Amino acid sequence: MIRRILIICIIAALLASCEAEKTQGKVVFISVAIDYGAPEGVNALDNPPEDQRALSSQIKALAAASGEIYEEYLFLEKNGRRTLNGDEMKWNHDDILRVLSDLDTLQSDLVLFHYSGHGDETGALVTDKVTSSRLSPERLMTAFSGIDGRKCLFLDSCFSGHFITDTGYMENGEKFEDGNLVSDNLIHAIIPSFIGMFEKHITGNDSTWVLAAASKEQNSFDSWDTGLPDQDKYGAFSYYLAVALGYDMENGKASVPAEGTRITFYSLWEDIRNMMADDLRKEATPQATLSITDPVLFSL
């Protein structure tokens, strides 16, 4: 009897020790939204501030519902005023890179980066329209290669497909189910996937998934008309991304999906493509990193 009690106590102690070693996961959201509202002669964009507000609100709600710690860095330019998390700051691309380099994350954490603004013909993010300041695909992806965690970039800008390596896009009926790649034509899906994995191994890229608003040759949409609720306030890609994450556009607020819902990288991409009208999608075709794995972003 005493022996049995001792065994139970030891097992309980071990279980308690294991629980104590578990750390709470973290979701980090970095967003850059620029309306270019001050300089004369600049093509201003009305919608990036609302893109950022909706996505920040929704991702924060999802992190809380998933039991994760939430951390955000909101770089915003609105009507010529630049702020970081609401505090006045004349930030530039170096400040964005500095935040990325200072992140303290683990492999189990989730790091989400969002950009809403201009992109030049090389795909570079135009972080300051009145200077030559740019965040090139090479520079930003290199910055992410040094960060631990599951890393996703959501890019609402023209020519943003430059951030994705040419390993074939999933336009042949391929889709993900339960984290596995399935297709009517597996050859079309699997070969590019393995090529992509091989190239990443050679170049040292360590799994950063990118979801871009357009191909290398296309413009993204900041002004569009479909009759959807409040669509005039958002860029098209960011609007559909927020809805795919669960944001309630009808009431203009964050909304948490039902318990048991899993939001994955490719489920977002599929939802965005399914929601977009065919004519809009032909003009700005969302692009995604091709991989044989589908990272879970939120599990509710």
Side-chain angles (χ1 to χ4, degrees):
M1 182 68 177
I2 294 176
R3 183 180 179 184
R4 183 180 298 174
I5 292 172
L6 285 173
I7 291 173
I8 292 172
C9 289
I10 291 170
I11 292 172
L14 287 172
L15 289 174
S17 174
C18 290
E19 288 296 320
E21 290 176 1
K22 289 182 180 178
T23 57
Q24 189 177 18
K26 181 162 63 174
V27 175
V28 182
F29 181 54
I30 307 104
S31 175
V32 182
I34 310 173
D35 69 356
Y36 311 95
E40 283 188 31
V42 168
N43 181 18
L45 302 174
D46 295 330
N47 299 329
E50 278 299 288
D51 294 344
Q52 184 181 87
R53 184 199 61 77
L55 287 169
S56 168
S57 172
Q58 183 61 28
I59 291 169
K60 184 177 182 178
L62 290 172
S66 303
E68 311 282 350
I69 298 168
Y70 179 71
E71 185 178 303
E72 69 180 8
Y73 301 89
L74 305 181
F75 292 90
L76 175 66
E77 181 188 287
K78 185 175 181 179
N79 299 326
R81 179 174 176 259
R82 289 202 165 197
T83 58
L84 174 57
N85 289 348
D87 296 326
E88 191 107 23
M89 178 184 177
K90 293 182 179 179
W91 53 266
N92 58 31
H93 67 291
D94 287 328
D95 296 301
I96 298 167
L97 293 171
R98 191 174 300 112
V99 163
L100 294 175
S101 66
D102 289 343
L103 289 181
D104 182 16
T105 56
L106 303 173
Q107 285 294 340
S108 56
D109 293 334
L110 175 64
V111 181
L112 302 176
F113 179 90
H114 165 252
Y115 176 83
S116 185
H118 287 305
D120 68 23
E121 292 183 358
T122 71
L125 310 182
V126 182
T127 54
D128 193 336
K129 192 67 173 168
V130 296
T131 72
S132 59
S133 175
R134 300 285 190 274
L135 270 178
S136 69
E138 295 76 18
R139 193 169 186 190
L140 190 56
M141 295 300 281
T142 296
F144 271 91
S145 69
I147 299 172
D148 289 329
R150 291 161 291 145
K151 297 163 287 187
C152 295
L153 275 63
F154 303 128
L155 305 176
D156 196 348
S157 55
C158 297
F159 316 114
S160 46
H162 279 279
F163 279 81
I164 297 171
T165 305
D166 281 328
T167 55
Y169 303 126
M170 298 172 67
E171 296 287 354
N172 298 305
E174 301 89 339
K175 61 181 180 177
F176 278 77
E177 290 182 358
D178 300 323
N180 296 311
L181 183 63
V182 295
S183 171
D184 292 334
N185 190 333
L186 286 175
I187 297 298
H188 286 160
I190 292 176
I191 290 179
S193 299
F194 277 109
I195 291 172
M197 289 181 65
F198 181 73
E199 287 180 350
K200 288 176 184 177
H201 177 73
I202 295 298
T203 60
N205 193 329
D206 65 338
S207 300
T208 299
W209 284 266
V210 180
L211 189 51
S215 72
K216 294 178 179 180
E217 294 82 26
Q218 293 174 326
N219 292 310
S220 60
F221 278 89
D222 189 61
S223 178
W224 51 296
D225 185 11
T226 62
L228 293 171
D230 283 339
Q231 59 88 32
D232 57 314
K233 296 180 180 178
Y234 301 90
F237 175 79
S238 291
Y239 184 99
Y240 289 118
L241 173 61
V243 172
L245 285 165
Y247 189 78
D248 181 358
M249 283 293 176
E250 198 79 46
N251 296 298
K253 63 180 183 180
S255 174
V256 177
E259 186 176 349
T261 299
R262 280 170 25 121
I263 298 175
T264 71
F265 177 79
Y266 288 107
S267 74
L268 288 180
W269 185 40
E270 189 169 4
D271 286 348
I272 289 169
R273 298 201 319 165
N274 288 340
M275 284 187 286
M276 292 181 81
D278 288 344
D279 57 344
L280 180 63
R281 199 174 72 203
K282 287 177 183 177
E283 292 293 321
T285 309
Q287 308 289 310
T289 299
L290 186 58
S291 170
I292 59 171
T293 58
D294 185 12
V296 175
L297 307 186
F298 297 100
S299 185
L300 306 175

